[in-house]
Amino acid sequence: VEQEAARTRGADAMPVFELRVRCEVENVAAIVADDAFAWRIRVRCNHCGEESPHPLVLYSTDKVELIRGGAASALYKCKLCERQNDVTLLKDGEHVISTDTGDDDDTSPTERNTQSAYGWHTFARFECRGMQPVAWEFDDDLVIVTGSGFRIEGAAFEDGAFYGYDEKAMKECSVTELESDFCKA
């Protein structure tokens, strides 16, 4: 009975897309999107292929009741085919990109992360029905946590880069070459 239920859930499950991010960092321990962060994603309708002219804006606290029951973070009606689609920002953990590599060496996390590039990391997951995300438009609501633990709220990014100053450690910090991509989970 449990195997049948699991198989049925798998067939009815909505596709999940991961927002993956990579960048170069200096004196940065983590990049955080807190509960007040506005996720701005552009989507494409699966039925007609039309891309949204403007990004959908989602917050982790948003809930919209669905006609068929349940809830989603946002509804999107395609302008071309007029189909109703929905997306849910999954809360299966914090939305944090940690630059800690987890290596067991003699350097501190700050020393390991200074001037280091790191690969693709999953930053958020979206469950989509009738559409798929195609682009993430990041803005100034991200929180940068420096190697010393100093938090820079509302980090201002310009052209995929942030430059700031860690007042606790009295060092410059930066996030550069920020890239994002969506992939099916």
Side-chain angles (χ1 to χ4, degrees), residues 2-170:
E2 287 181 25
Q3 288 176 340
E4 179 65 29
R7 197 169 56 241
T8 302
R9 274 194 310 272
D12 294 339
M14 290 194 295
V16 174
F17 294 89
E18 294 180 340
L19 170 60
R20 300 177 316 150
V21 176
R22 71 176 172 186
C23 55
E24 298 270 342
V25 298
E26 181 177 344
N27 192 30
V28 171
I31 303 168
V32 181
D34 60 16
D35 286 341
F37 184 74
W39 296 93
R40 290 172 171 80
I41 60 170
R42 290 193 180 269
V43 296
R44 178 183 309 123
C45 177
N46 287 345
H47 180 69
C48 67
E50 179 75 9
E51 282 194 28
S52 60
H54 305 286
L56 292 177
V57 180
L58 313 170
Y59 294 90
S60 64
T61 55
D62 287 350
K63 288 288 177 230
V64 178
E65 295 297 319
L66 301 174
I67 294 171
R68 61 189 171 278
S73 298
L75 298 176
Y76 173 70
K77 186 173 183 178
C78 178
K79 303 285 186 221
L80 186 62
C81 69
E82 298 187 355
R83 288 203 180 213
Q84 185 80 14
N85 305 309
D86 58 77
V87 60
T88 302
L89 172 62
L90 298 177
K91 296 181 192 175
D92 44 31
E94 294 183 347
H95 302 291
V96 176
I97 300 170
S98 174
T99 61
D100 185 6
T101 61
D103 295 340
D104 290 331
D105 59 19
D106 294 333
T107 59
S108 71
T110 302
E111 292 168 334
R112 263 198 313 270
N113 296 321
T114 300
Q115 303 275 11
S116 67
Y118 57 100
W120 291 102
H121 292 272
T122 299
F123 195 28
R125 292 167 26 101
F126 299 89
E127 196 173 61
C128 301
R129 181 182 306 272
M131 63 182 166
Q132 64 185 35
V134 292
W136 173 48
E137 295 182 5
F138 56 91
D139 60 9
D140 299 344
D141 295 335
L142 290 171
V143 176
I144 304 297
V145 181
T146 66
S148 71
F150 183 73
R151 290 176 63 91
I152 301 171
E153 306 282 336
F157 278 80
E158 281 188 38
D159 299 324
F162 161 80
Y163 297 94
Y165 189 74
D166 179 347
E167 295 175 14
K168 188 174 178 182
M170 299 190 334

